[in-house]
Amino acid sequence: IKTYEDFDRDGCENCPFLEMQERRERCLSCTTGFFEGTVAIMDPRESWTSKWLRCDGYLPGVYAITVTGQFTREIEEDLENKGIRWRCRP
């Protein structure tokens, strides 16, 4: 879980393909404040929780358990063109 300012300044270490770093509009389109629950993951490769959340390849950190939101059509097309799969909850 990061602040908007963190995403804008640093981008997303786990999803650099979203290209949010120092791109305000892109950052607004790729982030949301609508989430439920949090979990701290210290060792993603060994944690059963990270495997359950499908983030065992991510960096250690604090993560939302569920996130609600949708990408814009432009971002969806960009991800499709890059061959990247995602799941959004409307």
Side-chain angles (χ1 to χ4, degrees):
I1 297 177
K2 296 171 69 168
T3 66
Y4 169 79
E5 289 78 16
D6 291 337
F7 278 116
D8 187 45
R9 182 185 62 242
D10 305 324
C12 177
E13 294 85 352
N14 293 309
C15 48
F17 52 83
L18 289 177
E19 301 170 345
M20 291 189 289
Q21 189 172 4
E22 297 179 4
R23 294 178 65 192
R24 231 171 168 70
E25 289 300 316
R26 182 81 171 193
C27 190
L28 287 171
S29 297
C30 293
T31 62
T32 180
F34 297 103
F35 65 90
E36 293 183 24
T38 60
V39 62
I41 299 175
M42 301 302 290
D43 187 351
R45 298 208 190 304
E46 297 296 323
S47 166
W48 70 266
T49 305
S50 65
K51 292 173 186 166
W52 175 66
L53 291 172
R54 297 184 186 117
C55 61
D56 50 320
Y58 291 4
L59 296 173
V62 178
Y63 292 91
I65 294 176
T66 59
V67 177
T68 302
Q70 287 186 285
F71 289 132
T72 63
R73 186 66 201 139
E74 177 185 328
I75 292 172
E76 288 179 355
E77 289 173 358
D78 184 42
L79 295 175
E80 287 172 6
N81 290 338
K82 292 176 181 176
I84 297 169
R85 297 182 59 184
W86 74 96
R87 296 176 309 179
C88 287
R89 296 173 188 227

Coordinates of all heavy atoms in Angstrom, one line a residue:
I1 N 0.9 -1.2 0.0 CA 0.0 0.0 0.0 C 0.9 1.2 0.0 O 1.8 1.3 0.8 CB -0.9 0.0 1.2 CG1 -1.8 -1.2 1.1 CG2 -1.7 1.3 1.3 CD1 -2.8 -1.4 2.3
K2 N 0.7 2.1 -1.0 CA 1.5 3.3 -1.1 C 0.6 4.5 -1.3 O -0.6 4.3 -1.7 CB 2.4 3.2 -2.4 CG 3.4 2.1 -2.3 CD 4.1 1.9 -3.6 CE 5.0 3.0 -4.0 NZ 5.9 2.6 -5.1
T3 N 1.1 5.6 -1.0 CA 0.3 6.8 -1.2 C 0.3 7.2 -2.7 O 1.2 6.7 -3.4 CB 0.8 8.0 -0.4 OG1 2.2 8.3 -0.9 CG2 0.9 7.7 1.1
Y4 N -0.6 8.0 -3.1 CA -0.5 8.5 -4.5 C 0.8 9.1 -4.8 O 1.4 8.9 -5.9 CB -1.7 9.5 -4.8 CG -1.5 10.2 -6.1 CD1 -1.9 9.5 -7.2 CD2 -0.9 11.4 -6.2 CE1 -1.7 10.1 -8.5 CE2 -0.7 12.0 -7.4 CZ -1.1 11.4 -8.5 OH -0.9 12.0 -9.7
E5 N 1.3 9.9 -3.9 CA 2.6 10.6 -4.1 C 3.8 9.6 -4.3 O 4.7 9.8 -5.0 CB 2.9 11.5 -2.9 CG 2.1 12.7 -2.8 CD 0.7 12.5 -2.3 OE1 0.4 11.4 -1.7 OE2 -0.2 13.4 -2.5
D6 N 3.7 8.4 -3.5 CA 4.7 7.4 -3.7 C 4.7 6.8 -5.0 O 5.7 6.6 -5.7 CB 4.5 6.3 -2.6 CG 4.8 6.7 -1.2 OD1 5.6 7.7 -1.0 OD2 4.3 6.1 -0.3
F7 N 3.4 6.5 -5.5 CA 3.3 5.9 -6.9 C 3.8 6.9 -7.9 O 4.4 6.5 -8.9 CB 1.8 5.5 -7.1 CG 1.4 4.2 -6.6 CD1 0.5 4.1 -5.6 CD2 2.0 3.0 -7.1 CE1 0.1 2.9 -5.1 CE2 1.6 1.8 -6.6 CZ 0.7 1.7 -5.6
D8 N 3.4 8.2 -7.7 CA 3.8 9.2 -8.7 C 5.4 9.4 -8.7 O 6.0 9.5 -9.8 CB 3.2 10.5 -8.4 CG 3.4 11.6 -9.4 OD1 3.3 11.3 -10.6 OD2 3.7 12.7 -9.0
R9 N 6.0 9.4 -7.6 CA 7.4 9.6 -7.4 C 8.2 8.3 -7.9 O 9.2 8.4 -8.6 CB 7.8 9.9 -6.0 CG 9.3 10.2 -5.8 CD 9.6 10.5 -4.4 NE 9.4 9.3 -3.6 CZ 8.5 9.3 -2.5 NH1 7.8 10.4 -2.2 NH2 8.3 8.2 -1.9
D10 N 7.8 7.1 -7.4 CA 8.6 5.9 -7.6 C 8.0 4.9 -8.6 O 8.6 3.9 -8.9 CB 8.7 5.2 -6.2 CG 9.3 6.1 -5.2 OD1 10.2 6.9 -5.5 OD2 8.9 5.9 -4.0
G11 N 6.7 5.1 -9.0 CA 6.1 4.1 -9.8 C 5.7 2.9 -8.9 O 5.7 3.0 -7.7
C12 N 5.5 1.8 -9.6 CA 5.2 0.5 -8.9 C 6.3 -0.5 -9.1 O 6.5 -0.9 -10.3 CB 3.9 -0.1 -9.4 SG 3.4 -1.6 -8.6
E13 N 7.0 -0.8 -8.0 CA 8.1 -1.8 -8.1 C 7.7 -3.1 -8.6 O 8.5 -3.8 -9.3 CB 8.8 -1.9 -6.8 CG 9.5 -0.6 -6.3 CD 8.5 0.3 -5.6 OE1 7.3 0.1 -5.5 OE2 9.0 1.3 -5.0
N14 N 6.4 -3.5 -8.4 CA 6.0 -4.8 -8.8 C 5.3 -4.8 -10.2 O 5.1 -5.9 -10.7 CB 4.9 -5.4 -7.7 CG 5.6 -5.7 -6.4 OD1 6.6 -6.4 -6.4 ND2 5.1 -5.1 -5.3
C15 N 5.0 -3.6 -10.6 CA 4.3 -3.5 -12.0 C 4.9 -2.4 -12.8 O 4.2 -1.4 -13.1 CB 2.8 -3.4 -11.8 SG 2.3 -2.2 -10.6
P16 N 6.2 -2.4 -13.1 CA 6.8 -1.3 -13.9 C 6.2 -1.1 -15.2 O 6.2 0.0 -15.8 CB 8.3 -1.7 -14.0 CG 8.3 -3.2 -13.7 CD 7.1 -3.5 -12.8
F17 N 5.5 -2.2 -15.8 CA 4.9 -2.1 -17.1 C 3.7 -1.1 -17.1 O 3.3 -0.7 -18.1 CB 4.4 -3.5 -17.5 CG 3.5 -4.2 -16.5 CD1 2.2 -3.9 -16.4 CD2 4.1 -5.1 -15.6 CE1 1.4 -4.5 -15.4 CE2 3.3 -5.7 -14.6 CZ 2.0 -5.4 -14.5
L18 N 3.2 -0.7 -15.9 CA 2.2 0.4 -15.9 C 2.7 1.8 -16.1 O 2.0 2.7 -16.4 CB 1.5 0.3 -14.5 CG 0.6 -0.9 -14.3 CD1 -0.1 -0.9 -12.9 CD2 -0.5 -0.9 -15.3
E19 N 4.1 1.9 -16.0 CA 4.7 3.1 -16.4 C 4.1 4.4 -15.7 O 3.8 5.3 -16.3 CB 4.8 3.3 -17.9 CG 5.5 2.2 -18.6 CD 5.3 2.2 -20.1 OE1 4.4 2.9 -20.6 OE2 6.0 1.5 -20.8
M20 N 4.0 4.3 -14.4 CA 3.4 5.4 -13.6 C 4.4 6.4 -13.1 O 3.9 7.5 -12.8 CB 2.6 4.8 -12.4 CG 1.4 4.0 -12.7 SD 0.5 3.6 -11.3 CE 1.5 2.4 -10.5
Q21 N 5.6 6.1 -13.0 CA 6.6 7.0 -12.4 C 6.6 8.4 -13.1 O 6.8 8.5 -14.3 CB 8.0 6.4 -12.5 CG 9.0 7.2 -11.7 CD 10.3 6.5 -11.5 OE1 10.5 5.4 -12.1 NE2 11.2 7.0 -10.8
E22 N 6.4 9.4 -12.3 CA 6.4 10.8 -12.8 C 5.4 11.0 -14.0 O 5.6 11.9 -14.8 CB 7.8 11.2 -13.1 CG 8.7 11.2 -11.9 CD 10.1 11.6 -12.2 OE1 10.4 12.0 -13.4 OE2 10.9 11.5 -11.3
R23 N 4.3 10.3 -14.0 CA 3.3 10.5 -15.0 C 1.9 10.6 -14.3 O 1.2 9.6 -14.1 CB 3.3 9.3 -16.0 CG 4.5 9.3 -16.8 CD 4.5 8.1 -17.8 NE 3.5 8.2 -18.8 CZ 3.1 7.2 -19.6 NH1 3.7 6.0 -19.5 NH2 2.2 7.4 -20.4
R24 N 1.6 11.8 -13.9 CA 0.4 12.0 -13.0 C -0.9 11.4 -13.5 O -1.6 10.8 -12.7 CB 0.3 13.5 -12.8 CG 0.2 13.9 -11.4 CD 0.2 15.4 -11.2 NE -0.2 15.7 -9.9 CZ 0.5 15.5 -8.8 NH1 1.7 14.9 -9.0 NH2 0.1 15.8 -7.6
E25 N -1.2 11.7 -14.7 CA -2.5 11.1 -15.3 C -2.5 9.6 -15.3 O -3.5 9.0 -15.0 CB -2.8 11.7 -16.7 CG -3.1 13.1 -16.7 CD -4.4 13.4 -15.9 OE1 -5.4 12.7 -16.0 OE2 -4.4 14.4 -15.2
R26 N -1.4 9.0 -15.7 CA -1.3 7.6 -15.7 C -1.4 7.0 -14.3 O -2.1 6.0 -14.1 CB 0.1 7.2 -16.3 CG 0.3 5.7 -16.5 CD -0.3 5.2 -17.7 NE 0.1 3.8 -17.9 CZ -0.1 3.2 -19.0 NH1 -0.7 3.8 -20.0 NH2 0.3 1.9 -19.2
C27 N -0.8 7.7 -13.3 CA -0.9 7.3 -11.9 C -2.3 7.3 -11.4 O -2.8 6.4 -10.8 CB 0.0 8.1 -11.1 SG 0.3 7.5 -9.4
L28 N -3.0 8.4 -11.8 CA -4.4 8.5 -11.4 C -5.3 7.4 -12.0 O -6.2 6.9 -11.4 CB -5.0 9.9 -11.7 CG -4.5 11.0 -10.9 CD1 -4.9 12.3 -11.5 CD2 -5.0 10.9 -9.5
S29 N -5.0 7.0 -13.2 CA -5.7 6.0 -13.9 C -5.4 4.6 -13.5 O -6.2 3.6 -13.7 CB -5.4 6.1 -15.4 OG -5.9 7.3 -16.0
C30 N -4.3 4.4 -12.8 CA -3.9 3.0 -12.4 C -4.0 2.7 -10.9 O -3.7 1.6 -10.5 CB -2.4 2.8 -12.8 SG -2.2 2.7 -14.6
T31 N -4.3 3.7 -10.1 CA -4.4 3.5 -8.7 C -5.8 3.8 -8.2 O -6.6 4.5 -8.8 CB -3.4 4.4 -7.9 OG1 -3.7 5.8 -8.2 CG2 -2.0 4.1 -8.4
T32 N -6.1 3.3 -7.0 CA -7.4 3.6 -6.4 C -7.3 3.5 -4.9 O -6.3 2.9 -4.3 CB -8.5 2.5 -6.8 OG1 -9.7 2.8 -6.1 CG2 -8.1 1.1 -6.4
G33 N -8.1 4.2 -4.2 CA -8.2 4.2 -2.7 C -9.2 3.2 -2.2 O -9.4 3.1 -1.0
F34 N -9.8 2.5 -3.1 CA -10.8 1.5 -2.7 C -10.2 0.1 -2.6 O -10.0 -0.6 -3.5 CB -12.0 1.5 -3.7 CG -12.7 2.8 -3.8 CD1 -12.4 3.7 -4.9 CD2 -13.6 3.2 -2.8 CE1 -13.1 4.9 -4.9 CE2 -14.2 4.4 -2.9 CZ -13.9 5.3 -3.9
F35 N -10.0 -0.3 -1.3 CA -9.4 -1.6 -1.1 C -9.9 -2.1 0.3 O -10.4 -1.3 1.1 CB -7.9 -1.6 -1.1 CG -7.2 -0.8 0.0 CD1 -6.9 -1.3 1.2 CD2 -7.0 0.6 -0.2 CE1 -6.3 -0.6 2.2 CE2 -6.4 1.3 0.8 CZ -6.1 0.8 2.0
E36 N -9.8 -3.4 0.5 CA -10.3 -4.0 1.8 C -9.2 -4.8 2.3 O -8.6 -5.6 1.6 CB -11.5 -4.8 1.6 CG -12.7 -4.0 1.2 CD -14.0 -4.9 1.1 OE1 -14.0 -6.0 1.7 OE2 -14.9 -4.5 0.3
G37 N -8.9 -4.6 3.6 CA -7.9 -5.4 4.3 C -6.5 -5.2 3.9 O -6.2 -4.7 2.8
T38 N -5.6 -5.5 4.8 CA -4.2 -5.3 4.5 C -3.4 -6.6 5.1 O -3.9 -7.2 6.0 CB -3.6 -4.1 5.2 OG1 -3.7 -4.1 6.6 CG2 -4.2 -2.8 4.6
V39 N -2.3 -6.8 4.5 CA -1.5 -7.9 4.9 C 0.0 -7.5 4.7 O 0.3 -6.9 3.7 CB -1.8 -9.2 4.2 CG1 -1.5 -9.1 2.7 CG2 -1.0 -10.4 4.8
A40 N 0.8 -7.8 5.7 CA 2.3 -7.5 5.6 C 2.9 -8.8 5.2 O 2.8 -9.8 5.9 CB 2.8 -7.0 7.0
I41 N 3.7 -8.7 4.2 CA 4.4 -9.9 3.7 C 5.9 -9.7 3.8 O 6.5 -8.8 3.1 CB 4.0 -10.3 2.2 CG1 2.5 -10.6 2.2 CG2 4.8 -11.4 1.7 CD1 1.9 -10.8 0.9
M42 N 6.6 -10.5 4.6 CA 8.0 -10.3 4.8 C 8.9 -11.1 3.8 O 9.9 -10.7 3.4 CB 8.4 -10.7 6.2 CG 7.7 -9.8 7.3 SD 8.0 -8.1 7.1 CE 9.7 -8.0 7.6
D43 N 8.4 -12.3 3.5 CA 9.2 -13.2 2.6 C 8.2 -13.8 1.6 O 7.6 -14.9 1.8 CB 9.8 -14.4 3.5 CG 10.7 -15.2 2.6 OD1 10.7 -15.1 1.4 OD2 11.4 -16.0 3.2
P44 N 7.9 -13.1 0.6 CA 6.9 -13.5 -0.4 C 7.0 -14.9 -1.0 O 6.0 -15.5 -1.2 CB 7.0 -12.4 -1.5 CG 7.7 -11.3 -0.9 CD 8.6 -11.8 0.2
R45 N 8.2 -15.4 -1.2 CA 8.4 -16.7 -1.8 C 8.1 -17.8 -0.8 O 7.7 -18.9 -1.2 CB 9.9 -16.9 -2.2 CG 10.2 -15.8 -3.3 CD 11.3 -16.3 -4.2 NE 11.8 -15.4 -5.2 CZ 11.2 -14.6 -6.0 NH1 9.9 -14.7 -6.1 NH2 11.8 -13.8 -6.8
E46 N 8.1 -17.6 0.5 CA 7.8 -18.6 1.5 C 6.5 -18.4 2.1 O 6.0 -19.4 2.8 CB 8.9 -18.6 2.6 CG 10.3 -18.9 2.1 CD 10.4 -20.3 1.5 OE1 9.8 -21.3 2.1 OE2 11.1 -20.5 0.5
S47 N 5.8 -17.3 2.0 CA 4.6 -17.0 2.7 C 3.4 -17.7 2.1 O 3.2 -17.5 0.9 CB 4.4 -15.5 2.7 OG 3.1 -15.2 3.1
W48 N 2.6 -18.4 2.8 CA 1.4 -19.0 2.3 C 0.4 -17.9 1.9 O -0.4 -18.1 0.9 CB 0.8 -20.0 3.2 CG 0.1 -19.4 4.4 CD1 0.7 -19.3 5.7 CD2 -1.2 -18.9 4.5 NE1 -0.2 -18.7 6.5 CE2 -1.4 -18.5 5.9 CE3 -2.3 -18.8 3.7 CZ2 -2.5 -17.9 6.3 CZ3 -3.5 -18.2 4.1 CH2 -3.6 -17.8 5.4
T49 N 0.4 -16.8 2.7 CA -0.5 -15.7 2.4 C -0.2 -15.1 1.0 O -1.1 -14.8 0.2 CB -0.4 -14.6 3.5 OG1 -0.7 -15.2 4.7 CG2 -1.4 -13.5 3.2
S50 N 1.1 -14.9 0.7 CA 1.5 -14.3 -0.6 C 1.1 -15.3 -1.7 O 0.7 -14.8 -2.8 CB 2.9 -14.0 -0.6 OG 3.7 -15.1 -0.5
K51 N 1.2 -16.6 -1.5 CA 0.8 -17.5 -2.5 C -0.7 -17.5 -2.7 O -1.2 -17.5 -3.8 CB 1.2 -18.9 -2.1 CG 2.8 -19.1 -2.2 CD 3.3 -20.4 -1.6 CE 4.8 -20.3 -1.6 NZ 5.3 -21.4 -0.8
W52 N -1.5 -17.4 -1.6 CA -2.9 -17.3 -1.7 C -3.4 -16.0 -2.4 O -4.3 -16.1 -3.2 CB -3.5 -17.3 -0.3 CG -5.0 -17.1 -0.2 CD1 -5.9 -18.0 -0.6 CD2 -5.6 -16.0 0.5 NE1 -7.2 -17.5 -0.3 CE2 -7.0 -16.3 0.3 CE3 -5.2 -14.9 1.1 CZ2 -8.0 -15.4 0.8 CZ3 -6.2 -14.0 1.6 CH2 -7.5 -14.3 1.5
L53 N -2.7 -14.9 -2.2 CA -3.0 -13.7 -2.9 C -2.4 -13.5 -4.2 O -2.6 -12.6 -4.9 CB -2.5 -12.5 -2.0 CG -3.2 -12.2 -0.7 CD1 -2.5 -11.2 0.1 CD2 -4.7 -11.9 -1.0
R54 N -1.6 -14.6 -4.6 CA -0.9 -14.6 -5.9 C 0.1 -13.4 -6.0 O 0.3 -12.8 -7.1 CB -1.9 -14.6 -7.1 CG -2.8 -15.8 -7.1 CD -3.7 -15.8 -8.3 NE -4.6 -16.9 -8.3 CZ -5.9 -16.7 -8.2 NH1 -6.4 -15.5 -8.2 NH2 -6.7 -17.7 -8.2
C55 N 0.8 -13.1 -5.0 CA 1.8 -12.1 -5.0 C 3.2 -12.6 -4.5 O 4.0 -11.9 -4.0 CB 1.4 -10.8 -4.3 SG 1.0 -11.0 -2.5
D56 N 3.4 -13.9 -4.7 CA 4.6 -14.5 -4.2 C 5.8 -14.1 -5.0 O 7.0 -14.4 -4.6 CB 4.5 -16.0 -4.1 CG 4.0 -16.7 -5.4 OD1 3.0 -16.1 -6.0 OD2 4.5 -17.8 -5.7
G57 N 5.6 -13.4 -6.1 CA 6.8 -12.9 -6.9 C 7.0 -11.4 -6.6 O 7.8 -10.8 -7.3
Y58 N 6.3 -10.8 -5.7 CA 6.4 -9.4 -5.4 C 7.5 -9.2 -4.4 O 8.0 -10.1 -3.8 CB 5.1 -8.9 -4.9 CG 3.9 -8.8 -5.8 CD1 4.0 -9.3 -7.1 CD2 2.7 -8.3 -5.5 CE1 3.0 -9.2 -8.0 CE2 1.7 -8.2 -6.3 CZ 1.8 -8.6 -7.6 OH 0.7 -8.5 -8.5
L59 N 7.8 -7.9 -4.2 CA 8.7 -7.5 -3.1 C 8.0 -7.6 -1.7 O 6.8 -7.5 -1.7 CB 9.2 -6.1 -3.4 CG 10.0 -5.9 -4.7 CD1 10.2 -4.4 -4.9 CD2 11.3 -6.6 -4.6
P60 N 8.8 -7.7 -0.7 CA 8.2 -7.6 0.7 C 7.5 -6.3 0.8 O 8.0 -5.3 0.3 CB 9.4 -7.7 1.6 CG 10.5 -8.4 0.8 CD 10.2 -8.0 -0.6
G61 N 6.4 -6.3 1.6 CA 5.7 -5.0 1.8 C 4.4 -5.2 2.4 O 4.0 -6.3 2.8
V62 N 3.6 -4.2 2.5 CA 2.2 -4.2 3.0 C 1.3 -4.1 1.7 O 1.4 -3.2 0.9 CB 1.9 -3.1 4.0 CG1 0.5 -3.1 4.4 CG2 2.9 -3.2 5.2
Y63 N 0.4 -5.1 1.6 CA -0.5 -5.1 0.4 C -2.0 -5.1 0.8 O -2.3 -5.6 1.9 CB -0.2 -6.4 -0.3 CG 1.2 -6.4 -1.0 CD1 2.3 -6.9 -0.3 CD2 1.4 -5.8 -2.2 CE1 3.5 -6.8 -0.8 CE2 2.6 -5.8 -2.8 CZ 3.7 -6.3 -2.1 OH 4.9 -6.2 -2.6
A64 N -2.8 -4.6 -0.1 CA -4.3 -4.7 0.1 C -4.7 -6.2 -0.2 O -4.1 -6.8 -1.1 CB -5.0 -3.8 -0.9
I65 N -5.7 -6.7 0.5 CA -6.2 -8.0 0.2 C -7.0 -8.0 -1.0 O -6.9 -8.9 -1.9 CB -6.9 -8.6 1.4 CG1 -5.8 -8.8 2.6 CG2 -7.6 -9.9 1.1 CD1 -6.4 -9.2 3.9
T66 N -8.0 -7.1 -1.1 CA -8.7 -6.9 -2.4 C -8.7 -5.4 -2.8 O -8.8 -4.5 -1.9 CB -10.2 -7.4 -2.2 OG1 -10.8 -6.6 -1.2 CG2 -10.3 -8.9 -1.9
V67 N -8.7 -5.2 -4.1 CA -8.7 -3.8 -4.6 C -9.9 -3.8 -5.6 O -10.1 -4.7 -6.4 CB -7.4 -3.5 -5.3 CG1 -7.5 -2.1 -5.9 CG2 -6.2 -3.6 -4.3
T68 N -10.6 -2.7 -5.5 CA -11.8 -2.5 -6.4 C -11.5 -1.3 -7.3 O -11.1 -0.3 -6.9 CB -13.1 -2.2 -5.6 OG1 -13.3 -3.3 -4.7 CG2 -14.3 -2.1 -6.5
G69 N -11.7 -1.6 -8.6 CA -11.5 -0.5 -9.6 C -11.3 -1.1 -11.0 O -11.3 -2.3 -11.2
Q70 N -11.3 -0.2 -12.0 CA -11.1 -0.6 -13.4 C -10.1 0.4 -14.0 O -10.0 1.5 -13.8 CB -12.4 -0.5 -14.1 CG -13.4 -1.6 -13.7 CD -14.6 -1.5 -14.6 OE1 -15.4 -0.7 -14.4 NE2 -14.7 -2.4 -15.6
F71 N -9.3 -0.2 -15.0 CA -8.5 0.6 -15.8 C -9.3 1.3 -16.9 O -10.4 0.8 -17.3 CB -7.4 -0.3 -16.5 CG -6.4 -0.9 -15.6 CD1 -6.1 -2.2 -15.7 CD2 -5.7 -0.1 -14.7 CE1 -5.1 -2.8 -14.9 CE2 -4.7 -0.6 -13.9 CZ -4.4 -1.9 -14.0
T72 N -8.7 2.4 -17.4 CA -9.4 3.0 -18.6 C -9.2 2.1 -19.8 O -8.3 1.2 -19.8 CB -8.7 4.3 -18.9 OG1 -7.3 4.1 -19.2 CG2 -8.8 5.3 -17.7
R73 N -10.0 2.3 -20.8 CA -9.8 1.4 -22.0 C -8.4 1.6 -22.6 O -7.8 0.6 -23.1 CB -10.9 1.8 -23.0 CG -10.9 0.9 -24.2 CD -11.3 -0.5 -23.9 NE -10.9 -1.4 -24.9 CZ -10.4 -2.6 -24.7 NH1 -10.2 -3.1 -23.5 NH2 -10.0 -3.4 -25.7
E74 N -7.9 2.8 -22.6 CA -6.5 3.1 -23.1 C -5.5 2.2 -22.4 O -4.6 1.6 -23.1 CB -6.2 4.5 -22.9 CG -4.8 4.9 -23.4 CD -4.5 6.3 -23.1 OE1 -5.3 7.2 -23.1 OE2 -3.3 6.6 -22.8
I75 N -5.6 2.1 -21.1 CA -4.6 1.3 -20.3 C -4.8 -0.2 -20.6 O -3.9 -0.9 -20.8 CB -4.7 1.6 -18.8 CG1 -4.1 3.0 -18.6 CG2 -3.9 0.6 -18.0 CD1 -4.3 3.6 -17.2
E76 N -6.1 -0.6 -20.7 CA -6.4 -2.0 -21.0 C -5.8 -2.4 -22.4 O -5.2 -3.4 -22.5 CB -7.9 -2.3 -21.0 CG -8.5 -2.3 -19.7 CD -10.0 -2.5 -19.7 OE1 -10.6 -2.6 -20.8 OE2 -10.6 -2.6 -18.6
E77 N -5.9 -1.5 -23.4 CA -5.4 -1.8 -24.7 C -3.8 -1.8 -24.6 O -3.2 -2.7 -25.3 CB -5.8 -0.7 -25.7 CG -7.3 -0.9 -26.0 CD -7.8 0.3 -26.9 OE1 -7.1 1.2 -27.2 OE2 -9.0 0.2 -27.2
D78 N -3.2 -0.9 -23.9 CA -1.8 -0.9 -23.7 C -1.3 -2.2 -23.1 O -0.3 -2.8 -23.6 CB -1.4 0.3 -22.9 CG 0.1 0.4 -22.7 OD1 0.8 0.3 -23.7 OD2 0.6 0.7 -21.6
L79 N -2.0 -2.7 -22.1 CA -1.6 -3.9 -21.5 C -1.8 -5.1 -22.4 O -0.9 -6.0 -22.5 CB -2.4 -4.2 -20.1 CG -2.1 -3.2 -19.0 CD1 -3.0 -3.4 -17.8 CD2 -0.6 -3.2 -18.6
E80 N -2.9 -5.1 -23.1 CA -3.1 -6.2 -24.1 C -2.1 -6.2 -25.2 O -1.6 -7.3 -25.5 CB -4.5 -6.0 -24.8 CG -5.7 -6.3 -23.9 CD -7.0 -5.9 -24.5 OE1 -7.1 -5.5 -25.6 OE2 -8.0 -6.1 -23.7
N81 N -1.7 -5.1 -25.6 CA -0.6 -5.0 -26.7 C 0.7 -5.5 -26.2 O 1.6 -5.9 -26.9 CB -0.5 -3.5 -27.2 CG -1.7 -3.1 -28.0 OD1 -2.4 -3.9 -28.6 ND2 -1.9 -1.8 -28.1
K82 N 0.9 -5.4 -24.9 CA 2.2 -5.9 -24.2 C 2.1 -7.3 -23.8 O 3.0 -7.9 -23.3 CB 2.5 -5.0 -23.0 CG 2.9 -3.6 -23.4 CD 3.2 -2.8 -22.1 CE 3.5 -1.4 -22.5 NZ 3.7 -0.5 -21.3
G83 N 0.9 -7.9 -24.0 CA 0.7 -9.3 -23.6 C 0.5 -9.5 -22.1 O 0.8 -10.6 -21.6
I84 N 0.1 -8.5 -21.4 CA 0.0 -8.6 -20.0 C -1.4 -8.8 -19.6 O -2.3 -8.2 -20.0 CB 0.5 -7.3 -19.3 CG1 2.0 -7.1 -19.7 CG2 0.3 -7.3 -17.8 CD1 2.6 -5.8 -19.3
R85 N -1.6 -9.8 -18.7 CA -2.9 -10.2 -18.2 C -3.1 -9.5 -16.8 O -2.2 -9.4 -16.1 CB -3.1 -11.7 -18.0 CG -2.9 -12.4 -19.4 CD -3.1 -13.9 -19.2 NE -4.4 -14.1 -18.7 CZ -4.9 -15.3 -18.3 NH1 -4.2 -16.3 -18.5 NH2 -6.1 -15.4 -17.8
W86 N -4.4 -9.1 -16.5 CA -4.7 -8.5 -15.3 C -6.1 -8.9 -14.9 O -6.9 -9.4 -15.7 CB -4.6 -7.0 -15.4 CG -5.7 -6.4 -16.2 CD1 -6.9 -5.8 -15.7 CD2 -5.8 -6.3 -17.6 NE1 -7.7 -5.4 -16.8 CE2 -7.1 -5.7 -17.9 CE3 -5.0 -6.7 -18.7 CZ2 -7.5 -5.5 -19.2 CZ3 -5.4 -6.5 -20.0 CH2 -6.6 -5.9 -20.2
R87 N -6.5 -8.6 -13.7 CA -7.8 -8.8 -13.2 C -8.3 -7.6 -12.5 O -7.6 -7.0 -11.6 CB -7.9 -10.0 -12.2 CG -7.5 -11.3 -12.7 CD -7.5 -12.3 -11.6 NE -6.7 -11.8 -10.5 CZ -6.4 -12.4 -9.4 NH1 -7.0 -13.6 -9.2 NH2 -5.7 -11.9 -8.4
C88 N -9.4 -7.0 -12.9 CA -10.0 -5.9 -12.2 C -11.4 -6.2 -11.6 O -12.1 -7.0 -12.2 CB -10.2 -4.7 -13.2 SG -8.7 -3.9 -13.6
R89 N -11.7 -5.7 -10.5 CA -13.0 -5.8 -9.9 C -13.8 -4.5 -10.0 O -13.3 -3.5 -9.5 CB -12.9 -6.2 -8.4 CG -12.2 -7.5 -8.2 CD -12.0 -7.7 -6.7 NE -11.2 -8.9 -6.6 CZ -11.5 -9.8 -5.7 NH1 -12.5 -9.7 -4.9 NH2 -10.7 -10.9 -5.6
P90 N -14.9 -4.5 -10.8 CA -15.6 -3.2 -11.0 C -16.2 -2.7 -9.7 O -16.3 -3.4 -8.7 CB -16.7 -3.6 -12.0 CG -16.7 -5.1 -12.1 CD -15.4 -5.6 -11.4

